Amino acid sequence: MARIVWAVMLATALAAGTASAEGKHPMVLISTSLGDIKVELYEDKAPVTVDNFLKYVKAKHYDGTIFHRVIGNFMIQGGGFDKDMKEKSTNAPIKNEAGNGLKNDTGTIAMARTSVPDSATAQFFINVKDNDFLNHKNDTPAGIGYAVFGKVVDGMDVVRKIEHVPTTSKAPYSDVPAEAVVIKSITVVTQ
């Protein structure tokens, strides 16, 4: 009888382990000239945004781009420009999913966009502090916020290194790292 109970407990534990392994979120590795950043993506909360981001990752769009906007005690932004500050072409803009309940807290990754709510394409930013003013408040253009779609799970020290690089202006852009911080690649490490 004890063996049967033990076998049932083992089978239940294995089944639970399999289910939780299947429920894992996709992870990407952002390999930069200053080190690696591992990010967990929340496709359950931001399916359109994660799908869009992963399409760019799989197309190798981000390889060779830079963190082109770095503002200490705010965020680091990348994914749209090469080392010569030439903007890369993108796919069509996506729907803003800022109302998904995720907050622009320290270490979260969100989509950059223009003042138009549904204008995000490839550029993203990583929050280096809690930026409550970027959170969804309502569905008006002023209150919609910026869509968080993941969180740094390893490499926040690299994010901090990037946050503190010296910046300059490269007309017409400001807050550009004086020495390029290159995104060598972004790859899916689990899915």
Side-chain angles (χ1 to χ4, degrees):
M1 182 67 157
R3 284 184 183 173
I4 293 172
V5 170
W6 183 85
V8 169
M9 288 173 49
L10 179 61
T12 303
L14 287 172
T18 303
S20 66
E22 289 172 0
K24 283 186 178 179
H25 296 131
M27 298 265 198
V28 294
L29 188 68
I30 304 172
S31 180
T32 80
S33 54
L34 293 180
D36 292 345
I37 305 163
K38 191 173 187 182
V39 178
E40 181 177 22
L41 304 176
Y42 302 135
E43 78 287 354
D44 54 332
K45 297 279 191 177
V48 171
T49 308
V50 169
D51 180 62
N52 176 69
F53 183 76
L54 289 175
K55 282 179 182 169
Y56 283 109
V57 168
K58 290 171 184 169
K60 301 195 178 301
H61 170 89
Y62 296 117
D63 298 8
T65 61
I66 60 170
F67 280 98
H68 65 275
R69 186 169 176 235
V70 172
I71 303 174
N73 204 33
F74 178 35
M75 59 90 221
I76 63 173
Q77 181 175 334
F81 291 85
D82 67 17
K83 287 189 279 189
D84 298 320
M85 291 300 292
K86 183 178 174 197
E87 192 165 8
K88 293 188 75 170
S89 61
T90 62
N91 300 329
I94 59 169
K95 178 176 175 28
N96 188 322
E97 294 181 299
N100 62 20
L102 299 173
K103 306 292 184 201
N104 281 276
D105 291 340
T106 304
T108 57
I109 186 171
M111 291 305 294
R113 61 174 177 82
T114 68
S115 59
V116 177
D118 296 333
S119 61
T121 54
Q123 292 185 38
F124 61 88
F125 62 92
I126 299 173
N127 291 289
V128 298
K129 72 181 240 353
D130 292 354
N131 289 312
D132 295 340
F133 72 99
L134 299 178
N135 292 337
H136 179 267
K137 291 162 192 57
N138 55 54
D139 290 332
T140 67
I144 197 154
Y146 290 75
V148 171
F149 64 99
K151 185 170 177 68
V152 173
V153 294
D154 191 27
M156 199 61 196
D157 58 325
V158 175
V159 172
R160 295 287 180 209
K161 271 193 242 178
I162 297 169
E163 175 194 6
H164 292 104
V165 299
T167 59
T168 187
S169 292
K170 292 187 181 177
Y173 306 103
S174 56
D175 306 306
V176 179
E179 186 174 325
V181 179
V182 179
I183 297 172
K184 296 180 195 177
S185 65
I186 302 182
T187 53
V188 176
V189 289
T190 62
Q191 192 161 1

